[in-house]
Amino acid sequence: MGSREIKSPEDMLETPASLEVDGRSRKKLGVFFIESDNRRTAFGRGYTGGTTPVDIHGKPIADLSKTGGWIAALFIFGNEMAERMAYFGLSVNMVAFMFYVMHRPFSSSSNAVNNFLGISQASSVLGGFLADAYLGRYWTIAIFTTIYLAGLIGITLCASMKIFVPNQDQCDQLSLLLGSCEPAKPWQMLYLYVVLYITAFGAAGIRPCVSSFGADQFDERSKDYKTLLDRFFNFFYLCVTIGAIVAFTLVVYIQIERGWGAAFGSLAIAMGVSNMLFFAGTPLYRHRLPGGSPLTRVAQVLVATFKKRHVPFTRSELAGLYELPGRHSAIKGSGKIPHTDDFRCLDKAALQLKEDGGNPSPWRLCTVTQVEEVKILVKIIPIPACTIMLNVILTEFITLSIQQAYTLNTHIGKLKLPVTCMPVFPGLSIFLVLCLYYSVFVPVSRRITGHPHGASQLQRVGIGLFISILSVAWGGVFERFRRGYAIKHGYKSSFLTPMPDLSAYWLLIQYCLIGIAEVFSIVGLLEFLYEEAPDAMKSIGSAYAAIAGGLGCFAASIINSIVKSVTRNPENKQQSWLSQNINNAKFDYFYWLLTVLSIINFCIFLYSAHRYKYRTEQTFEAWETKQNILAEDS
């Protein structure tokens, strides 16, 4: 776009010795960071930087038409569908397995599953780091999907062989209620936890890479790139939903008809088939070169900033802000990133001083692009952080609503739906919303917002967070009615006995609302993180969403523990709000507590979203600044 080159070391001597922080001089400082690369830049939220796709051997692809696109994405969709099927199949069935087979209390089983969910998501930063730094997304997925399969095989063996489970003789429903069944031996629980966390470790490596690797298959130079990317993330989450629906229906049916071993075995088989499909698509994939350790680059910026913390921007020895000359970035797999005024203190890491010499250490002098990477990683944190509360609600619904469903009538006519199938309804609502998204939501919202895609990424996240508040608030209202009904009709002590006149399908309201909330928030967040993250840190950017999910699971366990501790009073024989006897507990109070926390979280999100500027908006502002300066100079 005809802008000036970022000042290179050879040009530094021509840089003004005095560059003030404010006023016209500050504007001049900004001119030196407008990228000279003439790549397509769609101002107003489009492509802002990128790299040349390569094949699996790291060589540029001569004919892009023979690779990538929707055909390559289909193989990736298949891998994600099976992974989500296994993930949700474990999350919904493992609580029941630990309670009915391993004879663990509901509360400890729920916390164990929450920890599994949390570890598998929070540790996703490891997979993102390995993909961006060394392995690339393809090999990271290939390695960790194999680990995932090994963990599923271990869980299948646990459920299939009697040696791994306690004695099931004389353990009827009454014995389970009284807690008199033979508990699992410590080594049996240790084995279960080991294979469960191996599975979590495998999921952690896959999750941050799959969505980014799928998005890599589309040509960012295409005029339809933004539309293709938007549709890709919607279809990607549709595959997630289909995997969840299969887990909540077919896997549950297999468990009822064939037992736990067959149920978990079906997950292992699905994962094995998806692995073969993923590897079969290898010739079609487009790859991005890993850019080296992103954590090292972040550390270098922080160290260089600290070393120059006392150097003012007006110091006479200042030679300028350091960047490589030409069109290419110093970071492999990344384009240059224009300078911004965010977190100005970090710019000191790029201050070129005379004592830095001609061949400066990266621990003392960093490029502008490297500094901007760190700024971006810090700047986007508040957005995924605000989705932690949504993930708390999702986690609580998986466990607590199943306990509610055990007390309700799950018949549809003469068909009795298993309790563990209840979470299928959020999946069905997600499936419906995604199918109607482009035909209903986008045209309607486009008239309101004027946005070409109906709503911006942050607007979609905000819509989802607001709907999640409605979901958990309704959960409190219905639980108050359900508990009152149970007490009135003499079910206070029979918390595993379904009440024939109260349908479980009242839970559909909260299920469907949380499903809609998930569509808007999570899909919008995934697209936001992929577009806003630096070129060489796309996997780590996507890992932010998984980390928020993991922290939501851990936060759910922490909140549960605090509520149990605060609301339980043994001296007065007062049970906690989350007592195992749900008819004697106060789940409604707990849901309303989550409602209050969600409202506070939503207000924080509105503030953060209002202050956030998309990368392309900042690039456009830098371009306008440059034009104004040139006009003033002329």
Side-chain angles (χ1 to χ4, degrees):
M1 58 187 163
S3 61
R4 296 184 193 176
E5 199 59 28
I6 297 176
K7 299 304 288 185
S8 66
E10 293 80 7
D11 300 326
M12 292 297 182
L13 296 177
E14 301 176 6
T15 305
S18 176
L19 292 174
E20 299 177 2
V21 175
D22 298 316
R24 177 174 157 79
S25 297
R26 177 174 176 176
K27 289 183 179 180
K28 283 188 176 181
L29 182 65
V31 173
F32 296 116
F33 309 103
I34 300 176
E35 189 175 4
S36 64
D37 194 336
N38 61 1
R39 292 192 303 264
R40 170 184 173 271
T41 300
F43 290 123
R45 289 187 62 243
Y47 168 60
T48 59
T51 56
T52 304
V54 297
D55 61 21
I56 194 171
H57 304 294
K59 298 179 180 179
I61 300 173
D63 187 359
L64 289 179
S65 64
K66 296 181 180 180
T67 61
W70 288 108
I71 296 178
L74 288 176
F75 291 94
I76 300 170
F77 286 153
N79 182 266
E80 178 63 11
M81 193 181 303
E83 190 275 323
R84 293 288 85 186
M85 174 182 165
Y87 178 81
F88 287 111
L90 289 177
S91 65
V92 72
N93 286 296
M94 190 53 66
V95 175
F97 178 75
M98 287 188 176
F99 179 75
Y100 285 106
V101 179
M102 307 304 285
H103 306 153
R104 304 291 296 175
F106 256 127
S107 57
S108 63
S109 300
S110 298
N111 284 338
V113 173
N114 287 349
N115 291 335
F116 158 73
L117 300 177
I119 290 174
S120 69
Q121 297 187 76
S123 57
S124 294
V125 68
L126 173 63
F129 169 78
L130 291 175
D132 286 339
Y134 305 112
L135 300 176
R137 287 185 264 279
Y138 172 85
W139 287 111
T140 303
I141 295 172
I143 292 171
F144 281 90
T145 197
T146 305
I147 296 174
Y148 202 137
L149 178 59
L152 289 174
I153 292 173
I155 293 174
T156 303
L157 292 177
C158 179
S160 303
M161 302 177 67
K162 293 184 178 180
I163 190 175
F164 291 116
V165 298
N167 191 349
Q168 305 297 314
D169 295 338
Q170 298 179 347
C171 184
D172 53 16
Q173 184 169 334
L174 179 60
S175 300
L176 283 170
L177 293 175
L178 297 176
S180 58
C181 292
E182 178 185 323
K185 297 179 177 63
W187 73 266
Q188 291 172 331
M189 290 305 302
L190 176 62
Y191 173 81
L192 178 59
Y193 284 140
V194 167
V195 293
L196 191 61
Y197 291 134
I198 287 175
T199 307
F201 183 66
I206 298 172
R207 186 168 292 109
C209 302
V210 177
S211 61
S212 298
F213 188 53
D216 288 344
Q217 306 309 311
F218 297 95
D219 186 2
E220 50 197 5
R221 294 169 295 181
S222 168
K223 63 179 181 180
D224 298 326
Y225 176 65
K226 181 67 182 76
T227 300
L228 291 172
L229 204 63
D230 184 69
R231 289 182 180 274
F232 166 78
F233 280 106
N234 277 282
F235 281 120
F236 177 82
Y237 212 72
L238 184 63
C239 292
V240 172
T241 303
I242 293 173
I245 291 174
V246 173
F248 295 142
T249 53
L250 180 60
V251 177
V252 171
Y253 173 79
I254 293 173
Q255 184 272 314
I256 294 173
E257 295 295 323
R258 300 296 181 181
W260 293 104
F264 293 136
S266 67
L267 301 178
I269 292 172
M271 199 69 207
V273 172
S274 77
N275 287 2
M276 290 188 290
L277 289 175
F278 176 77
F279 291 122
T282 299
L284 298 174
Y285 298 144
R286 297 174 184 175
H287 304 260
R288 300 296 176 92
L289 293 173
S293 173
L295 299 184
T296 300
R297 297 200 300 275
V298 171
Q300 288 171 343
V301 170
L302 298 179
V303 170
T305 300
F306 180 79
K307 288 180 177 179
K308 297 180 180 178
R309 64 191 182 279
H310 298 306
V311 179
F313 285 105
T314 56
R315 181 173 169 178
S316 58
E317 291 89 348
L318 174 65
L321 294 185
Y322 175 66
E323 182 59 278
L324 293 186
R327 296 170 54 177
H328 299 289
S329 167
I331 303 168
K332 183 170 64 174
S334 173
K336 285 182 179 178
I337 304 177
H339 175 265
T340 66
D341 288 334
D342 298 321
F343 306 107
R344 288 275 296 171
C345 61
L346 294 176
D347 285 338
K348 293 188 176 183
L351 285 178
Q352 173 81 6
L353 305 178
K354 291 181 179 179
E355 57 262 34
D356 289 331
N359 188 24
S361 166
W363 294 95
R364 180 170 180 82
L365 181 64
C366 305
T367 64
V368 170
T369 295
Q370 188 174 342
V371 172
E372 291 301 321
E373 279 188 329
V374 179
K375 289 183 181 181
I376 292 170
L377 289 181
V378 174
K379 189 176 67 170
I380 63 179
I381 285 177
I383 304 304
C386 288
T387 65
I388 292 175
M389 196 62 220
L390 171 65
N391 286 286
V392 169
I393 297 173
L394 288 168
T395 303
E396 299 291 6
F397 275 177
I398 286 176
T399 54
L400 300 184
S401 61
I402 289 179
Q403 287 183 254
Q404 289 176 291
Y406 271 114
T407 70
L408 302 170
N409 181 3
T410 60
H411 282 83
I412 302 179
K414 295 183 179 181
L415 176 65
K416 185 181 188 301
L417 191 68
V419 169
T420 47
C421 280
M422 294 303 293
V424 72
F425 291 103
L428 291 175
S429 65
I430 293 173
F431 184 84
L432 180 62
V433 171
L434 288 174
C435 290
L436 299 177
Y437 185 82
Y438 290 104
S439 60
V440 177
F441 172 76
V442 172
V444 172
S445 58
R446 186 187 293 131
R447 296 178 182 177
I448 300 174
T449 65
H451 194 279
H453 299 286
S456 69
Q457 295 154 353
L458 292 181
Q459 286 172 339
R460 279 183 277 167
V461 175
I463 292 171
L465 293 180
F466 177 76
I467 296 175
S468 71
I469 296 174
L470 302 179
S471 173
V472 73
W474 167 259
V477 171
F478 174 70
E479 173 57 20
R480 186 173 183 84
F481 173 79
R482 189 209 62 79
R483 183 167 58 86
Y485 185 94
I487 294 173
K488 180 179 179 181
H489 292 83
Y491 290 94
K492 187 173 183 179
S493 300
S494 304
F495 66 95
L496 288 181
T497 302
M499 296 177 283
D501 296 326
L502 188 58
S503 175
Y505 298 102
W506 283 103
L507 294 173
L508 295 189
I509 297 177
Q510 68 197 55
Y511 277 149
C512 292
L513 286 174
I514 198 62
I516 296 171
E518 194 174 356
V519 168
F520 283 98
S521 283
I522 305 303
V523 176
L525 180 64
L526 287 173
E527 186 177 344
F528 168 81
L529 292 174
Y530 183 81
E531 286 200 31
E532 295 299 300
D535 292 335
M537 295 185 179
K538 295 293 187 185
S539 297
I540 286 185
S542 298
Y544 273 18
I547 292 171
L551 293 177
C553 296
F554 289 132
S557 295
I558 293 172
I559 293 172
N560 289 353
S561 298
I562 293 174
V563 168
K564 288 176 184 178
S565 176
V566 172
T567 59
R568 183 171 178 268
N569 190 339
E571 295 181 359
N572 297 334
K573 297 182 179 180
Q574 177 181 326
Q575 297 185 7
S576 73
W577 290 358
L578 299 177
S579 170
Q580 180 162 290
N581 184 346
I582 186 175
N583 293 336
N584 201 35
K586 299 288 178 58
F587 277 27
D588 49 339
Y589 291 2
F590 183 70
Y591 281 143
W592 288 334
L593 171 64
L594 295 181
T595 303
V596 173
L597 294 177
S598 298
I599 292 173
I600 296 173
N601 176 75
F602 182 66
C603 294
I604 296 173
F605 170 79
L606 291 178
Y607 174 78
S608 301
H610 177 72
R611 289 177 55 87
Y612 188 85
K613 289 185 178 180
Y614 291 100
R615 286 178 60 186
T616 44
E617 291 176 354
Q618 291 184 316
T619 303
F620 185 60
E621 289 179 359
W623 181 81
E624 284 188 321
T625 300
K626 181 249 182 182
Q627 296 299 322
N628 292 336
I629 293 172
L630 293 178
E632 291 174 5
D633 290 340
S634 61

